[in-house]
């Protein structure tokens, strides 16, 4: 009975296989190596007499690279909050020490703008965006930091919910010489509707009609009524 394996850096790790016959090819994977480091390896085999070593090879592990990250679409959008996130599919060979999202009213936000800090590691994560202004467009990018620096994902944008009420106008009903049935529906008051009604605009007089198409000029007098 014998066994064989790989001896890296003069220290035998648990990266060996056993073989009842003691012969034949084998393969092992060495893990937990340091980036950008040179290692020496030798195959070995052990039987009842002792340990035999193969010829020596060396290799250098790769230097870490930037993380690979994408930005998720923003969801749960309210007037002052929203949910963003990202997905880190590769740490670039170096542990992720920080991740989150950053956002701004300007394009290509960075950590110099508003940002969140999530836990570490790769994979999907979510972040809560706060202190937003209603009815505004924001730009968001996920980020990840490893030993090479900070990498930003693709940019996405979203519009926060407006604080202006959402209203539709109903079709005009019965019309008489001096009245008309009008109305509407408040679809969303955004929590602060103080008044509702109908605006009626009456065209009283238009001058210079012949010049409207060419000069786009006209003297238009409008009368506006708020019908509560």
């Amino acid at each position: 009975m014998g066994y064989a394996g790989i001896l890296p850096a003069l220290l035998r790790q648990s990266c060996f296989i056993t073989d009842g016959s003691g012969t034949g090819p084998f393969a092992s994977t060495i893990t937990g190596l340091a980036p950008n480091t040179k290692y020496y390896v030798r195959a070995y085999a052990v039987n009842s007499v002792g340990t035999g070593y193969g010829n020596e090879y060396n290799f250098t592990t790769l230097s870490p690279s930037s993380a690979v990250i994408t930005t998720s679409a923003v969801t749960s959008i309210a007037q002052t909050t929203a949910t963003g996130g990202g997905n880190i599919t590769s740490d670039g060979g170096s542990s992720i020490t920080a991740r989150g999202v950053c956002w701004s009213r300007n394009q290509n936000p960075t950590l110099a703008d508003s940002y969140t800090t999530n836990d570490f590691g790769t994979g999907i994560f979510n972040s809560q965006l706060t202190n937003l202004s209603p009815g505004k467009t924001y730009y968001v990018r996920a980020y990840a930091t490893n030993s090479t620096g900070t990498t930003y994902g693709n940019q996405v944008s979203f519009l926060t919910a407006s604080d202006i009420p959402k209203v539709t106008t109903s079709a005009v009903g019965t019309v008489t010489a001096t009245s008309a049935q009008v109305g509407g529906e408040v679809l969303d008051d955004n929590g602060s509707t103080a008044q509702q009604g109908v605006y009626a605009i009456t065209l009283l007089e238009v001058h210079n009609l012949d010049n409207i198409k060419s000069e786009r000029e006209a003297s238009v007098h409008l009368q506006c009524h708020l019908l509560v």
Side-chain angles (χ1 to χ4, degrees):
M1 181 72 69
Y3 61 90
I6 298 294
L7 188 70
L10 301 182
L11 175 63
R12 193 177 75 196
Q13 299 179 338
S14 58
C15 53
F16 63 91
I17 61 173
T18 60
D19 189 336
S21 65
T23 61
F26 61 91
S28 299
T29 299
I30 307 172
T31 60
L33 305 179
N36 197 29
T37 301
K38 190 172 187 178
Y39 289 89
Y40 299 88
V41 295
R42 290 193 297 173
Y44 70 91
V46 178
N47 63 13
S48 59
V49 178
T51 302
Y53 296 97
N55 50 309
E56 181 178 272
Y57 285 96
N58 68 77
F59 66 91
T60 301
T61 52
L62 300 177
S63 299
S65 59
S66 300
V68 179
I69 183 171
T70 57
T71 306
S72 303
V74 178
T75 60
S76 302
I77 301 171
Q79 292 182 10
T80 59
T81 61
T83 300
N87 184 15
I88 304 173
T89 55
S90 173
D91 61 10
S94 177
S95 298
I96 301 298
T97 57
R99 66 179 188 176
V101 295
C102 50
W103 67 93
S104 172
R105 294 283 307 281
N106 300 315
Q107 296 198 40
N108 300 315
T110 68
L111 292 180
D113 301 301
S114 300
Y115 68 94
T116 64
T117 301
N118 287 70
D119 51 1
F120 312 119
T122 59
I124 298 174
F125 63 91
N126 294 313
S127 292
Q128 187 75 4
L129 286 62
T130 59
N131 298 321
L132 307 176
S133 297
K136 302 298 181 182
T137 298
Y138 285 88
Y139 300 92
V140 182
R141 292 197 296 177
Y143 74 89
T145 302
N146 65 7
S147 62
T148 67
T150 298
T151 303
Y152 296 95
N154 55 298
Q155 177 177 276
V156 300
S157 64
F158 71 98
L159 178 67
T160 52
S162 175
D163 54 359
I164 299 175
K166 296 179 181 179
V167 184
T168 61
T169 305
S170 301
V172 177
T174 303
V175 179
T176 69
T178 59
S179 67
Q181 291 182 343
V182 294
E185 180 182 1
V186 179
L187 302 177
D188 187 350
D189 63 7
N190 285 314
S192 60
T193 297
Q195 186 180 35
Q196 64 186 40
V198 177
Y199 274 99
I201 300 175
T202 304
L203 179 63
L204 297 182
E205 185 179 6
V206 179
H207 301 291
N208 301 327
L209 292 178
D210 294 338
N211 298 327
I212 290 178
K213 292 183 179 179
S214 59
E215 299 180 6
R216 295 184 180 276
E217 294 180 355
S219 175
V220 180
H221 299 278
L222 298 179
Q223 181 176 351
C224 183
H225 305 280
L226 173 61
L227 308 178
V228 180

